Amino acid sequence: VGLAESGGGSVQSGGSLKLSCAASGLNVNSYCLAWIRQAPGKEREAVAVIDNNGIINYLDSVKGRFTISLDKAESTENTLYLQMNSLKPEDTAMYYCASDKRILCAYYDGGSVFPGRFNYRGQGTQVTVSS
């Protein structure tokens, strides 16, 4: 599985950014895709997850502001997106996309252990929100 993020940058509070993740080599019958973020000195957080059945979950702090979506252009070549609106300084972090089997999504709880369970992760893209 190959994952490559893009779309990060610097914005002011209240602004928007859309992150993309080119995902290759997915098992189309079983995947859990996630956007994970980590800020310096803070624990990792999975802000949004989506599985191959289209089931989506969000971290409480981003509900109503972030939207995860998947473009299934090709059977094993997909693009994962994270539309981020009404950004806040506390959203500042390195954002990663991650992939694993669909069953992993069933364990999503918004906690700090869940993000570490993914076997595949991209290099990340930095998001900085200034006040």
Side-chain angles (χ1 to χ4, degrees):
V1 176
L3 301 167
E5 305 91 340
S6 61
S10 298
V11 295
Q12 290 191 329
S13 182
S16 298
L17 281 174
K18 187 173 185 176
L19 306 183
S20 300
C21 173
S24 60
L26 294 178
N27 178 349
V28 297
N29 296 314
S30 176
Y31 59 76
C32 175
L33 296 171
W35 284 101
I36 295 168
R37 69 184 181 188
Q38 186 162 25
K42 295 186 178 180
E43 293 182 325
R44 288 174 295 192
E45 298 179 307
V47 299
V49 298
I50 183 170
D51 70 14
N52 58 290
N53 289 329
I55 296 175
I56 292 172
N57 280 293
Y58 294 100
L59 190 68
D60 284 347
S61 62
V62 307
K63 284 181 180 177
R65 300 189 298 121
F66 290 12
T67 302
I68 189 172
S69 61
L70 181 66
D71 179 8
K72 301 180 186 178
E74 300 291 338
S75 59
T76 59
E77 303 290 325
N78 302 270
T79 304
L80 182 69
Y81 298 102
L82 185 68
Q83 177 67 48
M84 305 184 294
N85 299 327
S86 302
L87 282 162
K88 304 175 181 180
E90 51 263 44
D91 294 319
T92 295
M94 184 70 78
Y95 283 72
Y96 305 87
C97 60
S99 172
D100 212 297
K101 296 179 181 178
R102 177 173 60 86
I103 186 65
L104 185 57
C105 274
Y107 293 94
Y108 180 66
D109 60 359
S112 61
V113 174
F114 176 81
R117 293 183 172 183
F118 285 85
N119 282 314
Y120 303 99
R121 196 178 78 170
Q123 293 299 308
T125 185
Q126 177 68 37
V127 172
T128 302
V129 185
S130 58
S131 57

